[in-house]
Amino acid sequence: MSKEKQAQLRKAVMPFAKSQTRASIIQLFNTILPFFVLWFLAYQSLNISFMLSLVFSIGAAGFMIRSFIIFHDCAHQSFFKSKKWNTFFGTLTGIITHFAFEKWKREHSIHHATSGNLDKRGIGDIWVMTVEEYEQAGKLERLKYRLYRNPLIMFGLGPLSLFLYDNRFNRKGAKKKERMNTYLINVSIVAIYCLIGFTLGWHVLLMVQLPIIYVAGMLGIWLFYVQHQFEDSYFENEAEWDYVKAAVDGSSYYKLPKWLEWMTGSIGYHHVHHLAPRVPNYSLEKAHESTPPLHQATTITLKSSLESIKFRLYDEKEKTFVTFREMKAKMSAKQHASTD
């Protein structure tokens, strides 16, 4: 794609990069209110059956994910026109989702500016090693990477790491605004947990709140994972890296059933989002449908997305992800070749 066509593509989606106050307010009501209703029903259902309560908790987890999409748009300053309101509702949904707003906003902006850039990995993204890096890595580094990429670790322990560690502590050298926002969200969460524990019972945190944040965290990590980890995803070194190609070729179109698309705030149109981060979630589908070149983006479905679990390492020469088994075969072949 020529530079001229890239510029035209970005220009084509810019009319959708405008927040609509009415749509944003409606989304606040049809997201946050159902979350608290389902939370209350999960609590009340404990008197009948934990399994019934769990059903409502899973429903609430879906609306926690949808709340995170609002949080995400506020971080991009795309949910409201006002920076003040974006910060307010970003912090509010940060409390609901247990994410530090200012801290995450900074990390996510770096992710957008470096997605697919092999020379600028490590902040706000999934850890990806190349085939060459893995070959040169020591045994301990390989073990760490294999554990990190293990689905049981990534989707099993990942949510706990997000909620208990990653979003609870500030980075070294964080500015005062970022630090204070993290402290405010942390204190608010502790206060709410204490209120629930002392008034409703500490078991409610274990049987209602924990399933909600765990399921939401697990599904949230999955969404972020499949948006960039697909067979022919885009990765280049700094000299060849291009923002538009990284957006369109390095971000997938996750084609979901309509009800799941609604629940996930249309974040499946991730190629559109990376191309124009200021497009609010409720305009992503329209931007995609109105821009024919975007229809060529890599499309994955619920079924095909499961294949991404096996992708482990990026092969720079072949421009594709490979499995650990394929990597082992490559290394064995090299060893045999060197001894012949």
Side-chain angles (χ1 to χ4, degrees), residues 176-289:
K176 182 178 180 180
K177 181 181 179 181
E178 184 178 319
R179 295 199 315 272
M180 296 307 293
N181 183 262
T182 301
Y183 298 151
L184 172 62
I185 290 174
N186 286 347
V187 169
S188 298
I189 292 171
V190 170
I192 291 169
Y193 275 35
C194 287
L195 180 65
I196 293 171
F198 285 118
T199 59
L200 303 181
W202 296 101
H203 69 288
V204 176
L205 292 174
L206 182 65
M207 301 178 76
V208 174
Q209 182 65 8
L210 181 60
I212 291 173
I213 63 172
Y214 188 81
V215 171
M218 182 172 58
L219 295 178
I221 292 172
W222 170 253
L223 284 171
F224 190 76
Y225 178 85
V226 300
Q227 286 161 356
H228 298 286
Q229 311 283 310
F230 49 91
E231 189 170 9
D232 299 319
S233 187
Y234 175 91
F235 286 92
E236 289 288 356
N237 290 301
E238 173 70 15
E240 291 81 29
W241 183 83
D242 181 84
Y243 179 87
V244 175
K245 285 186 68 65
V248 179
D249 296 337
S251 304
S252 65
Y253 165 33
Y254 198 9
K255 192 173 184 179
L256 297 170
K258 282 298 180 182
W259 70 273
L260 271 178
E261 182 184 313
W262 183 87
M263 187 64 74
T264 57
S266 298
I267 200 61
Y269 294 95
H270 210 62
H271 56 304
V272 182
H273 171 63
H274 265 263
L275 182 62
R278 294 297 291 268
V279 177
N281 72 85
Y282 44 74
S283 296
L284 289 172
E285 182 179 3
K286 288 181 286 187
H288 170 83
E289 296 297 340

Side-chain angles (χ1 to χ4, degrees), residues 319-332:
K319 303 295 182 185
T320 186
F321 272 99
V322 297
T323 66
F324 281 133
R325 182 175 295 181
E326 290 169 333
M327 179 65 200
K328 186 177 180 180
K330 285 175 181 282
M331 293 176 71
S332 296

Side-chain angles (χ1 to χ4, degrees), residues 11 80 197 311:
K11 186 177 179 180
F80 285 109
F311 300 139

